[in-house]
Amino acid sequence: MRRVKGIGSLLLWGSPLIMVGIVIASILFGAKNLPMSTVWDALFHFDPENVDHQIVIHSRLPRAIGALLIGAFLAVSGALMQGMTRNYLASPSIMGVSDGSAFAITICMVFMPGSSSALEMVFFSLIGSVIGVVAVFSLATLVPGGMSPVNMAVIGLITGTFLSGVSAGLASYFQISQDVSFWYNARMHLMTPELVKVAIPFGIVGLVLALAISKSVTVLSLGEDISKGLGQRTVLVKVIATLAVVILTGISVALAGKIAFVGLIVPHITRFLVGIDYRRIVPAAGVLGAMFLGLSDVLSRFLNYPFETPIGVVTSLIGVPFFLYLIRKRGGGTHA
Amino acid sequence: MLKSGMTRFGFVLLMGVLLTLAAVYVSLTNGAFDMTLAEVGKTLLRINPDPSHDLVIFEFRLPRIVIAMLVGFGLGVVGAVVQGLMRNGLADPGILGINAGAGAAIVVFMFFIQGSIQGTGWFAIMAKPLFGLAGGLGAAVLIYLFAWNRGKLDPQRLILVGIAIGSGFGAVSLYLSLKMKPNDFEMATVWLTGSIWDANWTYIAAMLPWLIILLPIMMWKAHLLDLFQLEENSVKSLGVATEKEKSILLLCCIGVVSACVSVSGNISFVGLIAPHITRRLVGIRHRYVLPISGVMGMLLVVASDFISKTVFQPVELPVGIVISIVGVPYFIYLLRRGRK
């Protein structure tokens, strides 16, 4: 156990170095491998005429940073959701946020083709996330026992199937299925500096909210009654936490599409490493999530070289076995 | 009590069958080529057969309707059994991940093999459903292995494992389908969301044995599902070999779902909604719930299939989507009513 904690603190304290390593790897490797010297020149003596420099600045670098940001966002929202609902299965992809967002984006692509500037897409994606969350939560409160881990997962799945069913119906009716599917399943290679710039302010707001609320989430994760007994305004805490989740997940889906399992498994690893205090879990989950997705993104280019694998497939590849392990270990227990 | 239960059951059964027949009639006579009842009757009874009517009815409409009925019946019954087994009204056969396994196998088939099969022989037609069946059974074996814990089948764990395996197979399907040509992709998506558009008599012959063998077993074991609603220990003290019975029922479900999915793709929500409607109509005794749930499923799929092929002309929406668009709001309504 102590050795695991040792590795954990090594990971966390070494994270700046590791992230720099991931960014460098992400810039160097791809359909075209670039030599170190070119990258150096591109960063410090940028030459707009040079195609390799263009690749570094306009594609590889934003992609690497984007992957880190999205990983952090998803992991933090997952951690908040799990703490808030005391549900070890809560995660953005299960709770309908991603499906809601994909739903809004499909509608946008069907009814407003052409008007697809990055900012607009982000906006629609956010609206969609809100729809998804509201749908899942209101359904869960309608059903007796709907807030329990298993029922919540099932309700999330039902809502998700419904929303993605409607999206699929619209997409196949207007014959743009594969476009839509590409849009929300395989977008990492389309990352641009503009998208990253759009993401940063949303990310800051979301992360600040998450950090500000983290202490109250710790109390909430002890149970609703204890939390109320300690004089906490639980509804306010839940609203703020949900807001943070919606912002962080919405922006992630808008940037990279549906990426499963990051928000589910990273918080578990984090709790394993740093304990149950959300003041530490939230930032640590962010750091670990960033590293996890950054690494998955690099991996996604090698699984089927020279073709890219959608990053969601890579995270599922790692996530499904972990999820099964989690179930075996916890055996359907009550909460994290 | 028992007598009034029986009468009510008989009445609901009769109404369900009549409504289904009405839906079948509408579906048989309407479409791109309208026919009168007399024409349909004459064709079916072989009085002065007209070749063009024969073609429309026997090659296009009838196989499709028969498949819709069989699939609906199968999924409805399985839904009731799964909900009873898991003691969870939100369970749905799709949650077991079997659909996803069958779906992934079919996508593998479409991607690697379909192009290399020549001809229109029996094997060429059967290859696809056989793949689906293999995929469904493969997924079921995986789920079973993971959900089996110290000689016990834990329903909670079964749901979670099903979700996990389902998303794993979903990732496989996604990976392959993104590599497909746009046309194939369109076909794969239509299939994955549930569709009966390429129905033919061979498919029916392929799925019928599964239903004929497995459905009666489930009906015969229906009374056990009532017992399973009790505490685990009290069931055991009644002398029921719970784990064995659960496994038998579950294996039957897996067989039926695989057979249905292999011909009609991933039609979700039927198994979720049909039992809910049924319980409102005839109560909670599984001896009544199972058959009625099957009839409700039948009605649901036949009606939705008709909507899917006519309302959105000239495009045909997958029937699975029609069901989820119509079914989910209704399901929410049912849950609300149930709570009061």
Side-chain angles (χ1 to χ4, degrees), chain B residues 11-322:
Chain B
F11 175 71
V12 173
L13 187 66
L14 188 70
M15 286 311 289
V17 170
L18 284 181
L19 278 173
T20 310
L21 285 180
V24 167
Y25 165 68
V26 171
S27 192
L28 209 49
T29 47
N30 287 283
F33 182 91
D34 280 334
M35 280 189 268
T36 63
L37 179 59
E39 283 168 338
V40 173
K42 275 183 187 161
T43 317
L44 287 179
L45 298 172
R46 319 302 305 140
I47 303 167
N48 305 327
D50 173 344
S52 71
H53 288 176
D54 272 8
L55 182 74
V56 170
I57 288 197
F58 286 108
E59 294 304 313
F60 298 134
R61 288 190 192 161
L62 207 52
R64 188 168 170 157
I65 292 170
V66 171
I67 283 191
M69 290 172 76
L70 291 176
V71 167
F73 193 85
L75 290 177
V77 173
V78 168
V81 172
V82 168
Q83 291 184 359
L85 273 180
M86 313 249 172
R87 285 198 270 169
N88 187 335
L90 291 177
D92 168 272
I95 275 167
L96 293 174
I98 298 163
N99 299 3
I106 299 264
V107 172
V108 165
F109 170 77
M110 285 177 162
F111 191 71
F112 289 108
I113 301 170
Q114 195 160 44
S116 59
I117 291 183
Q118 305 289 322
T120 51
W122 193 78
F123 174 74
I125 298 174
M126 287 301 293
K128 198 169 93 166
L130 281 178
F131 252 78
L133 201 59
L137 292 175
V141 169
L142 272 179
I143 295 162
Y144 222 76
L145 286 178
F146 276 103
W148 194 261
N149 184 29
R150 294 191 209 102
K152 273 184 61 179
L153 202 59
D154 180 359
Q156 299 273 9
R157 177 174 294 196
L158 199 65
I159 295 182
L160 298 178
V161 171
I163 292 177
I165 301 273
S167 46
F169 278 115
V172 173
S173 308
L174 169 70
Y175 174 63
L176 287 177
S177 62
L178 283 177
K179 296 178 71 142
M180 285 180 171
K181 293 184 214 83
N183 254 342
D184 291 350
F185 178 86
E186 206 77 40
M187 268 178 62
T189 338
V190 165
W191 193 86
L192 281 173
T193 36
S195 171
I196 330 180
W197 59 275
D198 61 346
N200 60 59
W201 293 105
T202 327
Y203 283 2
I204 295 173
M207 71 180 293
L208 213 48
W210 292 86
L211 299 186
I212 290 178
I213 296 170
L214 298 177
L215 287 176
I217 299 181
M218 291 199 219
M219 303 280 183
W220 183 49
K221 301 249 175 211
H223 65 282
L224 287 172
L225 287 168
D226 292 334
L227 295 179
F228 287 150
Q229 307 312 304
L230 305 169
E231 278 298 316
E232 189 100 352
N233 288 329
S234 22
V235 182
K236 279 206 184 104
S237 66
L238 288 172
V240 179
T242 36
E243 300 312 320
K244 194 183 117 208
E245 301 292 355
K246 274 190 202 167
S247 296
I248 292 174
L249 279 168
L250 198 62
L251 285 175
C252 292
C253 291
I254 289 168
V256 172
V257 170
S258 300
C260 291
V261 171
S262 63
V263 295
S264 71
N266 212 340
I267 299 184
S268 44
F269 289 110
V270 178
L272 182 67
I273 297 167
H276 276 268
I277 301 175
T278 305
R279 276 194 295 265
R280 295 197 68 81
L281 293 173
V282 297
I284 55 166
R285 299 194 62 175
H286 283 89
R287 206 188 322 157
Y288 303 145
V289 168
L290 257 49
I292 298 287
S293 187
V295 173
M296 288 298 150
M298 204 155 80
L299 180 60
L300 210 59
V301 177
V302 172
S304 303
D305 184 52
F306 177 68
I307 296 176
S308 79
K309 69 180 180 190
T310 48
V311 172
F312 300 95
Q313 289 277 0
V315 183
E316 191 170 292
L317 272 191
V319 60
I321 287 175
V322 175

Side-chain angles (χ1 to χ4, degrees), chain A residues 201-240:
Chain A
F202 283 100
I204 290 174
V205 174
L207 291 176
V208 165
L209 280 178
L211 286 171
I213 207 77
S214 59
K215 191 180 167 196
S216 314
V217 171
T218 313
V219 181
L220 204 57
S221 71
L222 298 174
E224 192 106 355
D225 294 337
I226 296 177
S227 161
K228 275 194 184 127
L230 288 171
Q232 196 176 54
R233 297 159 72 186
T234 48
V235 175
L236 184 70
V237 174
K238 282 186 177 174
V239 167
I240 295 179

Side-chain angles (χ1 to χ4, degrees), chain A residues 27-28 34-57 61:
Chain A
I27 294 176
L28 290 178
L34 300 170
M36 197 66 205
S37 56
T38 317
V39 177
W40 185 264
D41 283 345
L43 290 179
F44 297 103
H45 316 96
F46 181 62
D47 172 13
E49 301 291 305
N50 189 326
V51 177
D52 285 352
H53 289 194
Q54 292 276 9
I55 293 178
V56 170
I57 295 297
L61 187 63

Side-chain angles (χ1 to χ4, degrees), chain A residues 82-283:
Chain A
Q82 289 175 10
M84 180 172 65
T85 58
R86 308 184 67 205
N87 181 340
Y88 69 109
L89 286 178
S91 84
S93 51
I94 284 186
M95 311 259 288
V97 186
S98 321
D99 289 306
S101 162
F103 171 67
I105 283 180
T106 307
I107 289 193
C108 180
M109 284 176 89
V110 167
F111 294 107
M112 285 167 280
S115 74
S116 53
S117 82
L119 201 61
E120 274 175 341
M121 286 304 218
V122 170
F123 180 67
F124 282 111
S125 175
L126 281 173
I127 296 179
S129 324
V130 178
I131 295 174
V133 172
V134 169
V136 171
F137 271 93
S138 43
L139 251 182
T141 50
L142 280 181
V143 187
M147 285 295 190
S148 80
V150 172
N151 282 351
M152 189 78 132
V154 173
I155 290 171
L157 211 68
I158 294 171
T159 318
T161 318
F162 174 63
L163 288 173
S164 54
V166 177
S167 321
L170 283 172
S172 71
Y173 186 77
F174 292 95
Q175 301 189 337
I176 52 165
S177 313
Q178 203 165 17
D179 295 345
V180 171
S181 191
F182 258 116
W183 205 92
Y184 56 70
N185 288 311
R187 274 179 54 79
M188 287 311 285
H189 64 289
L190 297 175
M191 197 69 69
T192 62
E194 287 71 34
L195 280 174
V196 173
K197 275 181 209 150
V198 170
I200 287 172
F202 283 100
I204 290 174
V205 174
L207 291 176
V208 165
L209 280 178
L211 286 171
I213 207 77
S214 59
K215 191 180 167 196
S216 314
V217 171
T218 313
V219 181
L220 204 57
S221 71
L222 298 174
E224 192 106 355
D225 294 337
I226 296 177
S227 161
K228 275 194 184 127
L230 288 171
Q232 196 176 54
R233 297 159 72 186
T234 48
V235 175
L236 184 70
V237 174
K238 282 186 177 174
V239 167
I240 295 179
T242 308
L243 195 65
V245 166
V246 170
I247 293 176
L248 291 174
T249 311
I251 192 80
S252 306
V253 181
L255 291 187
K258 232 191 287 198
I259 299 180
F261 288 109
V262 182
L264 181 72
I265 63 175
V266 173
H268 283 277
I269 300 174
T270 314
R271 264 193 304 272
F272 190 54
L273 295 176
V274 305
I276 55 153
D277 186 348
Y278 276 82
R279 274 177 298 180
R280 282 201 268 164
I281 293 176
V282 168

